[in-house]
Amino acid sequence: MKPANIVPRDRLIVALDLPGVEAAEAMIGRLGDSVTFYKIGYQLAYAGGLPLVRQLADSGKKVFIDLKLHDIGNTVARGVESVAKLGATFLTVHAYPQTMKAAVEARAGSDLKILAVTVLTSYDDGDLHAAGYRLGVSDLVEARAQQAQVLGVDGLVCSPEEAASLHKIVGHQMSLVTPGVRPAGAATGDQKRIMTPGRAIAAGADYLVVGRPITEAADQKAAAEAIQVEIARALG
Ligand code: C5P
């Protein structure tokens, strides 16, 4: 179950999409006390960034490990057991029933929460068809969200546009974590389905993942704090 009353500051997850530990540590230092939650994905994890998880956790920060696991159940379970010892709060897996079941069982007894990625936001109906799926994006997202809920998955990664409809499907116990967030006027980059921080929160997102609008800002701390102010306003 997700925590009640998450304070606005803790709802911003800053994506450390950076080439190495030195760059990540410099950014964490610049953001200081302002940011409480970081995401480590492929780029930094495979560049030696995983020890940062423990470092950040020991300094009181929360960490989202975005490695989107998917393998045979036993391998997923053993991987999740290892991740659970790193001190992270969230870990992503792809929303396949065997994978989700193995991950949920393996995180039992730890503080790690499992987030399922229903359908990657870069996929449209044509991409799913090309990959051999019968269902289109909206039907597959819905089916996988329901499976995730039944299997006891803690939350879903979704686009802000899907947040309202997913709440209708899974209720309000699962955390909804949304990338694809852009402050008004920010460059969209390769994101297609975007919302401002305020609209994403109003749509029902619990946590917002933001990368380039902060990493590429001239003043990263000010950019992060402006997003937190917008989150607080949207929450009233
Ligand atoms: O720079 P930007 O704000 O677009 O970064 C978004 C982050 O969220 C990236 O780390 C990206 O990998 C991640 N993400 C995403 N879409 C998903 C899942 C994760 O953009 N469906």
Side-chain angles (χ1 to χ4, degrees), residues 34-78:
S34 296
V35 170
T36 57
F37 214 146
Y38 287 100
K39 182 173 90 78
I40 295 181
Y42 286 2
Q43 187 184 16
L44 183 57
Y46 295 135
L50 282 181
L52 268 182
V53 178
R54 172 59 57 201
Q55 218 172 293
L56 283 165
D58 286 349
S59 69
K61 308 289 185 190
K62 289 183 171 181
V63 187
F64 168 5
I65 299 184
D66 189 15
L67 290 181
K68 299 187 179 73
L69 304 190
H70 181 47
D71 206 310
I72 60 170
N74 182 63
T75 302
V76 170
R78 300 292 88 79

Side-chain angles (χ1 to χ4, degrees), residues 104-181:
V104 166
E105 284 171 7
R107 69 99 167 89
S110 77
D111 292 332
L112 182 67
K113 304 285 181 209
I114 304 295
L115 301 178
V117 180
T118 53
V119 175
L120 291 169
T121 45
S122 58
Y123 274 56
D124 61 18
D125 290 349
D127 295 309
L128 284 180
H129 183 73
Y133 289 88
R134 282 183 290 115
L135 299 180
V137 172
S138 57
D139 288 341
L140 191 55
V141 166
E142 188 173 328
R144 287 181 165 174
Q146 279 166 345
Q147 287 172 330
Q149 185 179 35
V150 168
L151 290 166
V153 170
D154 303 292
L156 299 167
V157 177
C158 62
S159 91
E161 289 176 3
E162 288 158 2
S165 59
L166 281 177
H167 269 315
K168 282 189 199 130
I169 295 166
V170 301
H172 290 267
Q173 303 305 320
M174 296 176 87
S175 299
L176 295 189
V177 180
T178 67
V181 174

